[in-house]
């Protein structure tokens, strides 16, 4: 089974802090994604990566950056955390790009609270 | 602009009956549609998908129907079980080259024993 592991289940940070969310997948997937889930808004794509060192902005990239130095690891960085970034963050990976019905495999999520 | 919409935030169904979850979309270029199930404190898990060239796909108790002219898809669960209680998200994939999935806002299904 594909395993997508997010380093923290819960995080509490202060406004202005730099925050790192880590994600590791063990199935040699090319594509990795960061989503955030908010009540009433569903899952919104922040960034995705289709190869090492390659990244593309999603729908809500403002205030975030990403890093993919190794194929299995995709990091989400909040440069200066703000209260409106309090959310559930979900990492996902897939073998194929979309346009082939490639399934996304999700991690368990990181609930981030910014105070 | 929400390209994938789930207009019912919640649904309650008796155990053994049919659950019907609905999803509407606006972009006729979507090529695949997927349903995900999410339990509290867990990540979403893939349930079933359908290609835009088909109108029905079935997997056990789960069937997805696609009506392209109406830009509407639905997930039928028969018979519903208490373990089906979860939040269900529909998602649509943008044609290849962009690697993007657009998710709806989710419908919380509660199956009553």
């Amino acid at each position: 089974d594909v395993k997508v592991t997010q380093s923290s289940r819960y995080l509490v940070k202060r406004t202005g802090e730099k925050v790192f969310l880590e994600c590791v997948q063990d199935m040699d997937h090319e594509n990795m994604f960061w989503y955030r889930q908010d009540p009433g808004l569903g899952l919104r794509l922040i960034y995705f990566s289709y190869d090492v060192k390659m990244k593309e902005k999603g729908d809500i990239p403002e205030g975030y950056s990403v890093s993919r130095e190794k194929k299995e690891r995709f990091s989400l960085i909040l440069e200066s955390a703000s209260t409106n970034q309090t959310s559930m963050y979900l990492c996902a990976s897939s073998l194929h790009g979309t346009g082939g019905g490639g399934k996304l495999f999700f991690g368990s999520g990181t609930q981030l609270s910014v105070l | 602009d929400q390209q994938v919409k789930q207009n019912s935030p919640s649904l309650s169904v008796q155990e053994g009956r049919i659950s019907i979850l609905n999803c509407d979309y606006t972009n006729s270029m979507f090529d695949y549609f997927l349903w995900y199930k999410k339990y509290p404190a867990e990540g979403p898990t893939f349930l079933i998908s359908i290609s835009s060239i088909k109108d029905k796909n079935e997997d056990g108790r789960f069937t997805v129907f696609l009506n392209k002219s109406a830009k509407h898809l639905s997930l039928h669960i028969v018979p519903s079980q208490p373990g089906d209680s979860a939040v269900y998200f529909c998602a649509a994939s943008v044609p290849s080259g962009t690697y993007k999935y657009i998710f709806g806002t989710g419908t919380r299904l509660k199956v009553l024993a």
Side-chain angles (χ1 to χ4, degrees):
Chain A
D1 275 355
V2 175
K3 190 159 186 183
V4 179
T5 304
Q6 294 183 230
S7 54
S8 305
R9 292 298 299 269
Y10 301 96
L11 273 179
V12 181
K13 297 292 181 182
R14 296 222 174 264
T15 301
E17 278 192 78
K18 190 169 187 175
V19 181
F20 293 87
L21 301 183
E22 306 287 345
C23 176
V24 177
Q25 50 96 1
D26 66 358
M27 283 301 291
D28 204 35
H29 285 174
E30 292 88 358
N31 306 317
M32 296 189 75
F33 306 79
W34 275 106
Y35 287 86
R36 60 179 282 178
Q37 181 194 358
D38 300 288
L41 296 176
L43 277 68
R44 294 179 293 165
L45 181 63
I46 305 171
Y47 265 98
F48 61 98
S49 169
Y50 51 90
D51 202 350
V52 174
K53 296 191 186 293
M54 305 303 288
K55 59 187 179 185
E56 291 283 344
K57 293 180 180 179
D59 298 316
I60 51 165
E62 297 78 19
Y64 303 95
S65 62
V66 290
S67 172
R68 191 155 180 214
E69 297 296 320
K70 294 184 178 180
K71 191 175 186 179
E72 67 271 19
R73 187 179 296 271
F74 192 36
S75 303
L76 180 69
I77 303 154
L78 286 67
E79 297 291 343
S80 177
S82 63
T83 55
N84 62 13
Q85 293 178 309
T86 291
S87 185
M88 167 68 77
Y89 289 88
L90 292 159
C91 175
S93 71
S94 72
L95 182 59
H96 302 290
T98 58
K103 291 185 291 187
L104 289 175
F105 296 87
F106 283 89
S108 298
T110 296
Q111 180 62 53
L112 173 66
S113 296
V114 183
L115 306 177
Chain B
D1 183 25
Q2 193 78 20
Q3 295 187 65
V4 177
K5 299 179 184 179
Q6 293 177 258
N7 292 318
S8 298
S10 64
L11 174 69
S12 291
V13 172
Q14 284 294 132
E15 181 180 6
R17 305 295 289 267
I18 184 171
S19 295
I20 300 176
L21 295 96
N22 295 303
C23 183
D24 297 297
Y25 61 95
T26 58
N27 189 343
S28 58
M29 297 301 292
F30 289 144
D31 59 353
Y32 267 87
F33 301 90
L34 305 90
W35 284 94
Y36 283 80
K37 178 170 72 173
K38 186 180 185 299
Y39 293 119
E42 294 183 14
T45 55
F46 172 78
L47 198 55
I48 192 169
S49 65
I50 187 168
S51 164
S52 60
I53 63 173
K54 297 190 174 182
D55 54 19
K56 178 182 175 181
N57 188 27
E58 192 171 354
D59 184 2
R61 296 186 298 113
F62 302 93
T63 303
V64 57
F65 295 93
L66 176 62
N67 182 336
K68 282 192 293 183
S69 61
K71 294 191 177 68
H72 177 83
L73 68 154
S74 60
L75 175 68
H76 292 210
I77 306 173
V78 183
S80 301
Q81 299 173 354
D84 295 329
S85 297
V87 177
Y88 290 78
F89 291 97
C90 67
S93 72
V94 181
S96 60
T98 59
Y99 307 94
K100 285 177 65 172
Y101 291 82
I102 310 296
F103 281 80
T105 53
T107 296
R108 182 178 302 277
L109 173 66
K110 189 170 184 179
V111 180
L112 307 169

